[in-house]
Amino acid sequence: MTPGRIIFLNGTSSSGKSSIARELLEVLDDGVFFHLAVDGFNAMRSRRELGAEELDAALRRTRMGFHRSVAAMAGVGNGVVVDHVLSEPWRLLDCLAVLPPEDVLFVGVHCPLDELVRREAARGDRPAGLAARQYGLVHAHGEYDVECDTGAAGPRACALRIKEALACPPRPSAFTRLRRRHLPDGV
């Protein structure tokens, strides 16, 4: 079975990842793609109050399960549009370990900080300052196959740019280069 392709959108909260993902599902015309968002996995969790340590452990397990769910969906031939926030180094390392690197088109979704703050306030469904706290962290690894600035281009334009990159992805992929650099055996 041929594995599915993975379009991995990484950016801060409110950067436009979900809007781009919705547009990608409209413009991609070669195969079946599913939008898998880490926020969707978080929303499936029970709402019982958890202490800080228990919550941290539950969120870590949730993200690890999310990464493996993406790998499983792609592994059986589905295309996947991943919507994620790699704000902690271990998240990227886990993705590098479980996702097939040459099947991943790694997309950096950027947005100016002042626009992120404006969007976050307009949404009202995120803790104030979340995007600002993530801003210097999510792109710290410094390497992508394609990058989009949602402060300069709308979701449809970004989706079309990604579709173009998907047709002729760079080799080796950003995930392959990052894997060689960050995993001990370069698996």
Side-chain angles (χ1 to χ4, degrees), residues 14-70:
S14 302
S15 63
K17 299 178 307 294
S18 296
S19 297
I20 293 170
R22 284 189 293 275
E23 291 293 336
L24 279 166
L25 294 183
E26 293 294 322
V27 304
L28 294 172
D29 51 14
D30 60 338
V32 176
F33 281 83
F34 292 85
H35 173 202
L36 296 182
V38 73
D39 287 348
F41 270 60
N42 288 333
M44 291 188 277
R45 184 175 45 82
S46 62
R47 295 293 159 218
R48 181 177 67 83
E49 287 293 319
L50 302 173
E53 189 174 309
E54 189 179 11
L55 178 60
D56 285 346
L59 291 175
R60 186 178 184 99
R61 287 191 314 271
T62 301
R63 287 171 179 88
M64 290 176 76
F66 174 66
H67 303 158
R68 284 148 184 81
S69 296
V70 169

Side-chain angles (χ1 to χ4, degrees), residues 19-146:
S19 297
I20 293 170
R22 284 189 293 275
E23 291 293 336
L24 279 166
L25 294 183
E26 293 294 322
V27 304
L28 294 172
D29 51 14
D30 60 338
V32 176
F33 281 83
F34 292 85
H35 173 202
L36 296 182
V38 73
D39 287 348
F41 270 60
N42 288 333
M44 291 188 277
R45 184 175 45 82
S46 62
R47 295 293 159 218
R48 181 177 67 83
E49 287 293 319
L50 302 173
E53 189 174 309
E54 189 179 11
L55 178 60
D56 285 346
L59 291 175
R60 186 178 184 99
R61 287 191 314 271
T62 301
R63 287 171 179 88
M64 290 176 76
F66 174 66
H67 303 158
R68 284 148 184 81
S69 296
V70 169
M73 286 291 286
V76 296
N78 296 299
V80 181
V81 178
V82 177
D83 175 343
H84 205 348
V85 180
L86 298 175
S87 58
E88 297 173 278
W90 76 264
R91 295 179 192 182
L92 174 62
L93 295 176
D94 194 51
C95 288
L96 293 172
V98 301
L99 299 178
E102 287 301 317
D103 295 335
V104 177
L105 184 75
F106 198 25
V107 181
V109 180
H110 302 275
C111 186
L113 184 56
D114 59 337
E115 178 61 12
L116 288 170
V117 170
R118 187 198 66 74
R119 290 178 187 180
E120 187 175 78
R123 287 176 71 157
D125 65 348
R126 299 284 191 263
L130 178 62
R133 286 191 301 278
Q134 297 169 343
Y135 192 75
L137 304 172
V138 298
H139 304 296
H141 57 275
E143 194 153 355
Y144 290 105
D145 295 310
V146 64

